[in-house]
Amino acid sequence: SEPLPDYESISPMRRARAITGADQLLPTAIIETFRRTRTFSNGEAEVEIARVEVQPQVSEAEGASAAARPALLRGVTEVTRREVVAVEWLDGESLLYGVGCWRELFNEYAWYEYNLVTGIQQPVEHPRANAITDELPAALSLDEPTLFERSFFSFAPGERRAVYQTDLNTLVTVEPDGSFARVLYDRLYNISLQGFHFPLSQGGVFAAYFYGGYGDPVSFITANVNGQQLSQSPKDPADPIAINPNLTSITLPGVSPDGKRVIITREINGVTGYYLRATDTDFTQLLFEADPPGNNWPPPVYHLTPAGDRRIYIARPVEGEARLQCYNTISTQLHDLTRLPLELPQDARSWMWIAPDGRHLALASNGVSGGLWLINLTALDVCE
């Protein structure tokens, strides 16, 4: 008999993946099933599936985002021009990015999943969004909605526990339901938390940044969500009101994978530049002299290669142009890699994260010139 078409329009992409068994994410599609009927000599009939065709159906806008985007600059590919304020790498080939206001809780962002191989991106729900329950604020003693909103409650990517700020600005880590609280740092009531930064996709290490506004020195701590302090307190141990002068930076510090080293910028003995600093002692080493940018630029990325090299990726303006540079701590050489598509007025912010395999950097910014860009480090000069 003639094939009988059976159309079914499916959305979202997850169902398309389940039907086709494909690894890549498909946009809205039409599943066209062709069946045929066979009649046997005894008069019985049997219907069987002849073939199944999957035809992706994308709008003009979806098609543009699904296609592999061309490189804007050397090694740089644009993913979106939305205001991206968070990135979580899933693996070396895919990531999640969040769009919204950086002050909001993560579950209030609009989240998207992007595949580097296919170039396809689709709206998704954050995997921990359902952990923000109606009971959670009370479990954290943050019943007042404004207190919960300013807590910066965040799950460490790939880890179970979360970190947040209490009503007295104390930093605490907890289980997903708010139980088994572990206090990290207290006496922080007179400094302003500006957010947490998780440099890696696992391990639970993070930095917390404290400052008032653009141009102010940045105080910081490092810790992990299991409740382990990895740095000194940002408050002066001799004066409960004063800031610890040894734990400040002109720019947002970059954190090593173990949280025990940071890359800071400051003036020491008349020399302004980028310094490597231990977080639990006062050891400080000059890497190179430079004029640092403002505290709205991305924190440096501290990458430990499988071969044992320590590479520091830095985004900063050089002669009026945003550049990506790499400093190798073993060879002590600074390499200029590529121009960056960053335009950062004082009211905009930017961040960087490295992929688990160390092959790509994700560069994000908010504001009118915001977006998300991928930097293919394998297409740039080797940082030796």
Side-chain angles (χ1 to χ4, degrees):
S1 59
E2 290 295 320
L4 301 177
D6 180 15
Y7 293 88
E8 181 185 13
S9 181
I10 62 169
S11 186
M13 59 183 177
R14 300 292 183 186
R15 194 173 172 198
R17 172 190 279 178
I19 293 175
T20 65
D23 290 331
Q24 74 177 46
L25 307 182
L26 296 178
T28 303
I30 291 178
I31 306 299
E32 186 173 7
T33 304
F34 290 95
R35 60 192 179 192
R36 63 186 178 191
T37 303
R38 293 191 301 172
T39 304
F40 298 94
S41 58
N42 61 3
E44 294 182 357
E46 179 183 82
V47 178
E48 64 179 1
I49 302 298
R51 70 183 188 276
V52 177
E53 296 181 0
V54 181
Q55 305 174 32
Q57 306 291 301
V58 297
S59 65
E60 182 177 352
E62 289 172 327
S65 65
R69 295 177 179 271
L72 299 175
L73 303 167
R74 183 175 176 232
V76 181
T77 301
E78 179 185 292
V79 175
T80 182
R81 293 311 301 265
R82 301 179 178 99
E83 293 192 53
V84 177
V85 294
V87 168
E88 295 182 13
W89 284 96
L90 301 176
D91 51 46
E93 295 183 349
S94 58
L95 57 78
L96 302 176
Y97 68 86
V99 177
C101 174
W102 62 271
R103 289 187 180 275
E104 295 175 335
L105 295 178
F106 75 93
N107 65 313
E108 298 175 354
Y109 300 158
W111 286 93
Y112 298 82
E113 182 173 340
Y114 178 75
N115 186 285
L116 280 66
V117 176
T118 65
I120 294 174
Q121 54 182 299
Q122 292 286 353
V124 296
E125 183 179 82
H126 190 278
R128 306 302 293 273
N130 59 4
I132 308 299
T133 63
D134 293 339
E135 296 75 25
L136 182 61
L140 302 176
S141 299
L142 298 175
D143 304 83
E144 178 63 38
T146 55
L147 292 177
F148 187 54
E149 286 289 331
R150 64 178 288 275
S151 71
F152 288 97
F153 185 91
S154 304
F155 285 99
E159 303 296 325
R160 177 177 174 82
R161 291 176 64 86
V163 60
Y164 76 103
Q165 172 183 251
T166 72
D167 56 338
L168 297 178
N169 291 11
T170 298
L171 297 189
V172 180
T173 73
V174 291
E175 287 293 303
D177 62 356
S179 63
F180 297 99
R182 298 171 185 168
V183 174
L184 286 172
Y185 299 89
D186 56 10
R187 300 193 304 120
L188 307 179
Y189 42 81
N190 63 339
I191 57 177
S192 299
L193 177 65
Q194 299 289 331
F196 302 113
H197 184 70
F198 299 89
L200 298 178
S201 59
Q202 59 185 6
V205 170
F206 68 91
Y209 301 130
F210 306 87
Y211 57 97
Y214 179 83
D216 289 344
V218 179
S219 296
F220 59 92
I221 61 94
T222 63
N224 65 40
V225 291
N226 292 325
Q228 181 183 9
Q229 295 183 359
L230 299 174
S231 70
Q232 304 172 43
S233 171
K235 301 301 291 290
D236 191 329
D239 184 345
I241 302 299
I243 298 296
N244 186 340
N246 295 320
L247 283 182
T248 60
S249 176
I250 298 172
T251 55
L252 301 183
V255 188
S256 65
D258 62 2
K260 297 181 179 180
R261 298 287 187 275
V262 288
I263 307 301
I264 63 172
T265 55
R266 60 184 304 170
E267 179 185 341
I268 299 178
N269 297 325
V271 179
T272 301
Y274 285 78
Y275 289 83
L276 174 67
R277 192 194 192 285
T279 58
D280 54 355
T281 70
D282 292 333
F283 170 81
T284 305
Q285 175 186 349
L286 175 66
L287 300 180
F288 60 94
E289 293 186 46
D291 293 325
N295 57 18
N296 59 337
W297 280 69
V301 171
Y302 189 120
H303 177 53
L304 181 62
T305 71
D309 287 346
R310 291 173 173 83
R311 297 174 180 173
I312 314 299
Y313 292 101
I314 298 166
R316 69 184 187 98
V318 179
E319 297 181 354
E321 186 175 81
R323 306 290 303 183
L324 177 68
Q325 297 183 321
C326 179
Y327 182 85
N328 189 309
T329 63
I330 296 179
S331 68
T332 68
Q333 295 299 307
L334 179 66
H335 301 266
D336 188 78
L337 300 182
T338 188
R339 185 163 68 90
L340 296 174
L342 277 183
E343 298 178 20
L344 286 179
Q346 294 183 9
D347 60 349
R349 302 187 179 205
S350 184
W351 307 263
M352 276 198 310
W353 301 262
I354 195 163
D357 60 7
R359 295 170 60 88
H360 289 84
L361 288 170
L363 172 67
S365 73
N366 65 351
V368 296
S369 299
L372 174 64
W373 300 269
L374 292 176
I375 304 167
N376 183 356
L377 298 175
T378 65
L380 304 177
D381 294 340
V382 179
C383 184
E384 295 180 333

